[in-house]
């Protein structure tokens, strides 16, 4: 019965989000071991359909829990199951869905709304499609959070705390932060890519490991990764770093199956829009 675990799992997410927003390491360390169980609960509760009226709540909560433990692949899967129309326009829940859509799929919804939530969304998109300004973004986000708290809607308060924590974590994992720092290539040189529609907004854990191992700087490595952790994007980032630093002008990718070669070719064509040949 999913009812018996609703309170405790919501409490876990709320407390962890609070720890993120207050930079309280003791709170985060206390609740982080429980996040995977919370994520799996929301995932299973939505799949069981025993409370279908709360599917949107379960999906967004589960996606947030997975996001907090850097399991961006699972977070993306849960978010993809939720349609934008299943959330109330103008709510913190709706804004959280829009933020996930942009982080995972680069979906940008035109929002002329001049209310505070509309300003938050447009500012967020500007931060991740142009030179980011985390300080101004977090200031605006704090103002929006105060507004939601003043309305005294418990679910909206829960959602806005998740939203603020997700955005703060997104900045910490931003491509704008990792790529220049770990490639020894100036931000200005990365800018055309970072501003493109094919750019990744945040680096997944496997991609961060590749950065920290110095592979973007030209170090050799053997990397073993499972399915669905961002291998193809990792290949793209390694190639981009090699080309931008003038260490290479051509690349050879070897794959064991022709079907896999075709798949990689399609991905690389989308990424580079240049001549690619399959042998």
């Amino acid at each position: 019965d999913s009812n018996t675990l609703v309170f405790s799992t919501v409490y876990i997410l709320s407390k962890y989000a609070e720890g993120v927003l207050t930079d309280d390491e003791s709170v985060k360390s206390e609740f982080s071991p429980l996040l995977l169980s919370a994520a799996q609960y929301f995932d299973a509760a939505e799949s069981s359909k025993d409370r279908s009226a709360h599917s949107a709540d379960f999906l967004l909560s589960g996606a947030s829990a997975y996001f907090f433990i850097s399991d961006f692949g699972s977070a993306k899967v849960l978010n993809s199951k939720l349609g934008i129309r299943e959330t109330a326009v103008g709510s913190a829940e709706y804004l959280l869905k829009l933020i996930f859509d942009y982080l995972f799929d680069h979906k940008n919804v035109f929002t002329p709304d001049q209310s505070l939530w509309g300003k938050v969304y447009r500012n967020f998109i500007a931060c991740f499609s142009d030179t980011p300004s985390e300080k101004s973004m977090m200031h605006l986000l704090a103002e929006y959070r105060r507004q939601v708290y003043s309305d005294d809607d418990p679910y909206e308060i829960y959602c806005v705390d998740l939203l603020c924590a997700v955005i703060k974590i997104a900045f910490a994992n931003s491509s704008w932060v990792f790529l220049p720092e770990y490639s020894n290539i100036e931000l200005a040189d990365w800018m055309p890519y970072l501003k493109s529609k094919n750019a990744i907004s945040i680096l997944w854990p496997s991609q961060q490991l590749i950065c920290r191992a110095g592979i973007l700087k030209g170090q050799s490595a053997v990397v073993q990764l499972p399915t669905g952790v961002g291998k193809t994007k990792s290949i793209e980032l390694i190639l981009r770093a090699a080309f931008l630093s003038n260490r290479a002008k051509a690349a050879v990718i070897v794959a064991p199956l022709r079907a896999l070669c075709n798949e990689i070719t399609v991905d690389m064509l989308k990424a580079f829009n240049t001549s690619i040949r399959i042998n």
Side-chain angles (χ1 to χ4, degrees):
D1 181 3
S2 61
N3 289 320
T4 60
L5 289 172
V6 168
F7 177 82
S8 56
T9 46
V10 166
Y11 181 72
I12 290 166
L13 261 69
S14 296
K15 291 298 292 183
Y16 187 83
E18 180 184 315
V20 171
L21 297 176
T22 57
D23 293 317
D24 192 326
E25 293 301 325
S26 63
V27 171
K28 288 196 290 183
S29 61
E30 178 183 355
F31 287 94
S32 60
L34 306 173
L35 286 172
L36 177 58
S37 295
Q40 291 172 336
Y41 159 74
F42 287 118
D43 199 341
E46 194 281 328
S47 297
S48 70
K49 305 298 181 185
D50 66 335
R51 299 180 71 195
S52 56
H54 295 280
S55 285
D57 313 351
F58 289 147
L59 288 171
L60 277 178
S61 296
S64 299
Y66 280 128
F67 193 88
F68 290 162
I69 57 175
S70 298
D71 187 348
F72 299 144
S74 296
K76 179 178 179 178
V77 169
L78 287 193
N79 181 66
S80 68
K81 294 181 180 179
L82 177 62
I84 191 66
R85 294 182 181 179
E86 296 176 61
T87 55
V89 176
S91 64
E93 177 190 52
Y94 178 73
L95 187 50
L96 179 58
K97 169 62 178 169
L98 290 180
I99 296 301
F100 275 143
D101 282 349
Y102 184 82
L103 288 175
F104 295 137
D105 299 305
H106 241 267
K107 291 181 182 177
N108 184 359
V109 178
F110 176 67
T111 50
D113 194 297
Q114 293 303 310
S115 62
L116 195 51
W117 82 264
K119 292 179 182 178
V120 168
Y121 180 65
R122 286 192 296 275
N123 194 283
F124 175 83
I125 296 300
C127 282
F128 278 81
S129 60
D130 206 333
T131 306
S133 175
E134 182 177 358
K135 185 176 181 181
S136 63
M137 179 71 231
M138 298 312 292
H139 178 77
L140 185 61
L141 201 57
E143 185 182 350
Y144 176 64
R145 187 178 180 222
R146 286 192 294 270
Q147 182 188 79
V148 172
Y149 266 70
S150 68
D151 292 338
D152 204 26
D153 181 325
Y155 181 64
E156 279 291 277
I157 289 172
Y158 167 67
C159 285
V160 81
D161 280 357
L162 296 184
L163 169 73
C164 294
V166 163
I167 290 178
K168 188 169 183 178
I169 292 170
F171 270 107
N173 293 279
S174 168
S175 302
W176 296 78
V177 172
F178 271 88
L179 296 183
E181 180 177 352
Y182 289 97
S183 65
N184 283 345
I185 299 170
E186 295 294 327
L187 176 60
D189 294 325
W190 279 107
M191 282 281 237
Y193 166 68
L194 292 171
K195 289 185 176 183
S196 71
K197 64 179 181 179
N198 292 323
I200 53 174
S201 303
I202 54 175
L203 264 63
W204 291 19
S206 60
Q207 294 157 357
Q208 293 180 23
L209 287 173
I210 285 171
C211 287
R212 293 191 175 102
I215 300 175
L216 298 189
K217 297 177 183 177
Q219 294 292 324
S220 297
V222 176
V223 183
Q224 183 177 351
L225 295 172
T227 300
V229 296
K231 288 196 297 294
T232 304
K233 276 295 180 183
S234 297
I235 294 171
E236 179 188 339
L237 295 178
I238 293 168
L239 296 183
R240 285 191 183 279
F243 295 151
L244 288 173
S245 62
N246 294 317
R247 285 185 282 106
K249 293 183 179 179
V252 177
I253 302 174
V254 180
L257 301 171
R258 192 167 185 85
L260 186 56
C261 288
N262 287 327
E263 183 181 325
I264 294 172
T265 299
V266 170
D267 290 333
M268 293 300 106
L269 282 171
K270 289 179 181 178
F272 294 100
N273 192 27
T274 188
S275 59
I276 294 178
R277 184 178 65 204
I278 300 179
N279 291 328

